[in-house]
Amino acid sequence: MTLSDAPARASEVAAAPATGERVLPPLQIGPHTIDTPVVLAPMAGVTNKAFRTLCREHGAGLYVAEMVTSRALVERHAETLRIVTFDEGESPRSAQVYGVDPATVGEAVRILAAEGLADHVDLNFGCPVPKVTKRGGGGVLPWKKELFTRIVASAVEAAGPHGVPVTVKTRKGIDDEHLTYLDAGLIAQREGAAAIALHARTVEQHYSGTADWTAITALKQTVTDIPVLGNGDIWSAEDAVRMVRETGADGVVVGRGCQGRPWLFADLAAAFAGSDVRVRPGLREVAETIYRHGELQVEYWQDEGKGMRDLRKHMAWYLKGYPVGGDSRRALALVSTLAELRERLDVLDLDQPYPEQGVEGPRGRAGSPKAAHVPYGWLDSRELTDEHRQQLVEAELSVSGG
């Protein structure tokens, strides 16, 4: 079966026989075997339990929850605990933690592991948001090698007795003159991390430009004892296959590419298994997926209005490339009940096939490069000063979901 006449439904793609050699073996994260070596990257306001369930229904892989901050978890904020609530069918249950204080990160990871809240913990060292980086957190933290080392070591030590693997996600560095990823990879490997993922952009790039896959190659050649995962510019199954073949990566991390396209995971599962079958949904199938997403949102929030409001931002992603008029798009972006959602979907011209162009390719806001916000004097040395230690206390955010 060729790409042009492939079935539209993910279940059919998942069942399709392989037509070539398997591209990658299963991914091993500690004791967990991930049959399809694909990880759903945490995205603020996107990868809640509803969206993760939808993605799992369309394919295989490892699905990481929205980021929680270590301080908020230790203080047991209600919304943070909601974020690390998983479906019974989620296995392994994967949580991502952000923090800048080794003791607080260690305690947060201990809570997740000892209390059975998660089976896998990912540490976030890739956030480019100025409110985080200007205090020394996120993607600029690995510049301080000793602090980075202590955080990874603390997390691994806290998770170890409970058999919970810890992985690390980072960026290339702050900018092209202040690269950190090779050091970070070696430190993560030495301190017992189960894998490292690289978003092949700098903090300065944010999400703009083109991901530098040669950095993934360099990291894979440097870090040889644990899996190396590649992230950046994976918009299709073909992109993922090309990344692993060009870089030697052990798996891929998908972020913006699956926004409005949860069936991308079926494509990835098929591609890595050696099949050329792909999901190509017409507008009727997309509408069914949107409604299913709405049902899951209501179930997650236990509030129909809140669930619908959270769904609205997904509409433009789902409809990208499809011939849907502006009035219909605006109406769908204002739905407030499931009944209203059903009504507005049913009036669309649903007999529209998969568009020949406009659906795949870059999605979400890329923005433009901007100088990284860092504490004054941060780049002068890779060692922490007393002043910077105090600034890091302020960077230990108590708000999760970013």
Side-chain angles (χ1 to χ4, degrees), residues 148-169:
F148 177 80
T149 300
R150 290 173 56 210
I151 290 175
V152 175
S154 179
V156 171
E157 181 180 5
H162 311 285
V164 172
V166 173
T167 58
V168 169
K169 184 182 180 187

Side-chain angles (χ1 to χ4, degrees), residues 52-126:
R52 296 197 310 275
T53 298
L54 192 66
C55 290
R56 287 203 332 275
E57 290 177 353
H58 283 81
L62 176 66
Y63 304 99
V64 186
E66 292 178 272
M67 183 193 79
V68 296
T69 68
S70 56
R71 176 179 163 189
L73 186 57
V74 170
E75 294 177 354
R76 297 183 183 272
H77 289 194
E79 184 56 28
T80 295
L81 294 176
R82 172 195 284 274
I83 289 172
V84 293
T85 299
F86 298 89
D87 274 345
E88 290 183 6
E90 289 193 72
S91 179
R93 298 164 300 162
S94 181
Q96 187 183 78
V97 172
Y98 160 84
V100 297
D101 175 66
T104 307
V105 172
E107 177 59 14
V109 172
R110 188 200 65 78
I111 290 171
L112 289 170
E115 298 183 13
L117 298 178
D119 306 309
H120 158 242
V121 175
D122 186 50
L123 299 179
N124 181 315
F125 296 104

Side-chain angles (χ1 to χ4, degrees), residues 10-327:
S11 58
E12 297 177 52
V13 172
T19 53
E21 293 185 5
R22 186 180 179 101
V23 175
L24 276 181
L27 177 64
Q28 199 69 34
I29 303 291
H32 307 297
T33 301
I34 313 302
D35 288 335
T36 300
V38 176
V39 178
L40 168 64
M43 291 178 281
V46 176
T47 54
N48 63 18
K49 186 168 69 170
F51 187 67
R52 296 197 310 275
T53 298
L54 192 66
C55 290
R56 287 203 332 275
E57 290 177 353
H58 283 81
L62 176 66
Y63 304 99
V64 186
E66 292 178 272
M67 183 193 79
V68 296
T69 68
S70 56
R71 176 179 163 189
L73 186 57
V74 170
E75 294 177 354
R76 297 183 183 272
H77 289 194
E79 184 56 28
T80 295
L81 294 176
R82 172 195 284 274
I83 289 172
V84 293
T85 299
F86 298 89
D87 274 345
E88 290 183 6
E90 289 193 72
S91 179
R93 298 164 300 162
S94 181
Q96 187 183 78
V97 172
Y98 160 84
V100 297
D101 175 66
T104 307
V105 172
E107 177 59 14
V109 172
R110 188 200 65 78
I111 290 171
L112 289 170
E115 298 183 13
L117 298 178
D119 306 309
H120 158 242
V121 175
D122 186 50
L123 299 179
N124 181 315
F125 296 104
C127 180
V129 176
K131 71 176 182 179
V132 172
T133 62
K134 71 181 181 181
R135 295 191 177 110
V140 307
L141 189 147
W143 179 251
K144 303 300 185 181
K145 290 197 293 184
E146 179 186 356
L147 177 62
F148 177 80
T149 300
R150 290 173 56 210
I151 290 175
V152 175
S154 179
V156 171
E157 181 180 5
H162 311 285
V164 172
V166 173
T167 58
V168 169
K169 184 182 180 187
T170 190
R171 284 184 175 241
K172 285 175 58 181
I174 299 172
D175 53 36
D176 288 340
E177 285 70 49
H178 300 89
L179 300 178
T180 57
Y181 69 104
L182 295 180
D183 287 336
L186 289 171
I187 291 168
Q189 177 177 257
R190 185 185 70 217
E191 298 302 328
I196 183 166
L198 176 64
H199 184 167
R201 286 181 170 89
T202 62
V203 171
E204 182 180 65
Q205 284 182 275
H206 284 241
Y207 299 95
S208 67
T210 302
D212 176 17
W213 289 3
T214 64
I216 301 170
T217 304
L219 184 62
K220 177 60 182 174
Q221 292 172 347
T222 302
V223 176
T224 56
D225 294 341
I226 60 175
V228 171
L229 311 179
N231 177 217
D233 294 353
I234 296 178
W235 311 112
S236 68
E238 286 68 30
D239 289 336
V241 170
R242 184 167 60 86
M243 174 187 276
V244 299
R245 286 181 172 161
E246 289 182 8
T247 68
D250 300 290
V252 299
V253 178
V254 177
R256 292 173 296 150
C258 69
Q259 290 176 336
R261 297 175 64 221
W263 50 83
L264 177 60
F265 293 96
D267 284 355
L268 292 165
F272 282 131
S275 171
D276 64 356
V277 179
R278 300 290 182 269
V279 181
R280 296 292 185 264
L283 189 56
R284 187 176 303 278
E285 289 76 27
V286 172
E288 291 175 1
T289 302
I290 292 173
Y291 190 77
R292 172 61 177 155
H293 194 174
E295 292 179 319
L296 291 168
Q297 287 277 36
V298 173
E299 179 183 325
Y300 172 64
W301 290 109
Q302 293 295 297
D303 181 314
E304 187 173 34
K306 193 166 186 177
M308 290 297 96
R309 287 193 296 275
D310 200 29
L311 179 67
R312 292 171 183 174
K313 62 176 168 282
H314 294 264
M315 293 300 180
W317 298 329
Y318 275 119
L319 299 176
K320 178 179 170 62
Y322 289 87
V324 176
D327 289 344

Side-chain angles (χ1 to χ4, degrees), residues 327-396:
D327 289 344
S328 294
R329 290 173 182 269
R330 284 188 288 273
L332 283 165
L334 295 172
V335 291
S336 55
T337 67
L338 278 170
E340 187 179 0
L341 176 62
R342 180 79 279 166
E343 178 183 341
R344 293 184 179 183
L345 290 171
D346 286 346
V347 298
L348 300 178
D349 182 4
L350 296 176
D351 294 327
Q352 298 291 331
Y354 187 81
E356 293 186 4
Q357 54 185 308
V359 177
E360 298 179 5
R363 310 173 72 81
R365 294 181 178 179
S368 58
K370 49 183 72 71
H373 290 67
V374 298
Y376 180 77
W378 188 258
L379 301 179
D380 293 346
S381 169
R382 301 203 68 174
E383 304 300 322
L384 276 178
T385 65
D386 290 340
E387 181 181 359
H388 289 148
R389 291 181 196 279
Q390 181 57 40
Q391 289 174 318
L392 286 168
V393 172
E394 299 172 5
E396 189 66 36

